[in-house]
Amino acid sequence: MEPESPSEPAVTTCYRHPKVESRVRCTRCDRYICPDCMREAAVGHQCVECVREGARSVRQARTAFGGRITTAPVVTYVLIALNVLVYLGELVSPEIVDRFSVLGAVLRGPDGGHYVWQDAYPSGFEPAGVVNGEWYRLLTGAFLHMPPTQGTFGILHIVMNMVALWNVGRVVEAQLGRSRYLALYLLSALGGSVLVLLLAPETSTVGASGAIFGVSAAYYVLARRLGADLRAVNQFMAGLLLWLVLSAAFTSWQGHLGGLLTGSAVALAFAYAPRGGRRALVQAAVCLALLALLLLLAVGKVSALKNGAA
């Protein structure tokens, strides 16, 4: 009778590669892992799934105002690119300006020209602008600029706006994060258009100036909140207000002022919302409330214009 051989230890294999023998366990899930599945950890090795799960559970760094930290001002780049592309489109098809500019209420005559809004439509005339249901003008006009052949301002309009957006937008985007910055920009653009509609509905305006004034106002508010050098910040704001006055001779001061006021309101909400889990909710609520207010003002003005022309 042959003596019994000692029992051989069970062979253990990698949980991801069953054909590969392994005697090392993941320090997190305790499963066997082969050399291809090992990842260095603070103590021992972990499997690829535990490393991936750990990366998801790490809290992402945030800016002082709750936004995600970004390494490149992508939104600013995209906005500049959109404005430039639209401007090139204007050069090819000048009628784009007439079709998409901010325009509240005018009469379009049989010859295609625009005429002053009247209480009653003369024969052959039709309403044009936001009053005619062209609500998109409240945003599209913020991506248009004066063509080179229009007025003394010409191509300087888009050049100055894009330079300003490049200088200020990158700073504000880094402070707010991409989503908050985009909300600030679009609400400021809408705020400028709505004030044009309220105060000068018969004026056709174009330009990103309203949005840029809003971003500039945010730069001032955020800088003060962060405790930046007040002399430099105050000089910046004084220059901004001076340009608001001087630019009225070339473009729409209503659009600039509307963007400035709206951007200031959004920036105050972003800067002074209480810290903690509710901060993002408070910031979003203020943005939605401003959006609702602007839309109500626009609807009310259009309704008044229509009733006056009835």
Side-chain angles (χ1 to χ4, degrees):
M1 186 174 182
E2 297 180 358
E4 295 182 359
S5 60
S7 59
E8 296 181 358
V11 177
T12 55
T13 60
C14 174
Y15 82 100
R16 296 179 73 232
H17 304 99
K19 295 182 179 180
V20 180
E21 184 177 350
S22 175
R23 299 189 182 278
V24 178
R25 293 175 183 267
C26 172
T27 56
R28 187 169 181 177
C29 67
D30 206 37
R31 293 180 292 189
Y32 285 101
I33 50 178
C34 68
D36 288 340
C37 299
M38 292 180 188
R39 300 293 184 270
E40 291 285 346
V43 178
H45 297 82
Q46 291 184 7
C47 66
V48 291
E49 291 184 6
C50 287
V51 171
R52 191 180 301 117
E53 182 64 28
R56 282 199 295 264
S57 63
V58 174
R59 187 175 182 180
Q60 292 186 340
R62 296 277 176 172
T63 69
F65 307 106
R68 290 186 178 182
I69 294 178
T70 57
T71 57
V74 174
V75 176
T76 299
Y77 294 155
V78 171
L79 290 172
I80 292 175
L82 284 175
N83 278 277
V84 172
L85 287 174
V86 172
Y87 193 72
L88 294 176
E90 293 178 35
L91 299 180
V92 177
S93 302
E95 62 272 13
I96 290 177
V97 176
D98 180 64
R99 186 71 180 84
F100 294 99
S101 64
V102 178
L103 181 64
V106 296
L107 294 179
R108 183 179 287 117
D111 58 354
H114 288 171
Y115 299 90
V116 176
W117 180 264
Q118 300 179 14
D119 293 340
Y121 308 155
S123 177
F125 285 72
E126 296 180 352
V130 179
V131 74
N132 193 40
E134 299 166 4
W135 294 95
Y136 55 83
R137 289 179 179 269
L138 296 178
L139 273 183
T140 56
F143 292 90
L144 299 169
H145 288 84
M146 293 181 182
T149 56
Q150 182 176 342
T152 57
F153 212 33
I155 197 172
L156 286 177
H157 191 204
I158 187 171
V159 171
M160 295 180 67
N161 276 347
M162 294 305 100
V163 170
L165 182 57
W166 170 265
N167 289 328
V168 181
R170 291 180 299 164
V171 176
V172 176
E173 182 176 353
Q175 293 172 340
L176 292 180
R178 292 170 183 168
S179 58
R180 287 169 175 80
Y181 172 67
L182 182 59
L184 166 71
Y185 188 93
L186 294 178
L187 282 172
S188 299
L190 181 61
S193 298
V194 169
L195 195 61
V196 171
L197 174 64
L198 294 177
L199 301 182
E202 298 171 356
T203 303
S204 176
T205 64
V206 293
S209 303
I212 294 171
F213 265 85
V215 173
S216 299
Y219 171 81
Y220 174 78
V221 172
L222 301 180
R224 290 187 65 92
R225 183 71 170 116
L226 293 173
D229 183 0
L230 292 183
R231 290 175 300 176
V233 173
N234 290 333
Q235 287 175 0
F236 169 81
M237 198 61 187
L240 184 68
L241 295 177
L242 178 61
W243 174 241
L244 176 65
V245 175
L246 296 178
S247 63
F250 307 101
T251 57
S252 169
W253 66 267
Q254 297 92 340
H256 295 179
L257 181 60
L260 182 72
L261 295 176
T262 305
S264 298
V266 175
L268 287 170
F270 288 161
Y272 293 95
R275 294 180 177 272
R278 296 183 178 180
R279 176 165 60 179
L281 182 62
V282 171
Q283 292 171 338
V286 172
C287 289
L288 290 175
L290 278 172
L291 175 61
L293 175 61
L294 292 173
L295 293 178
L296 285 174
L297 290 172
V299 170
K301 180 63 176 182
V302 168
S303 177
L305 290 169
K306 286 184 176 180
N307 291 334

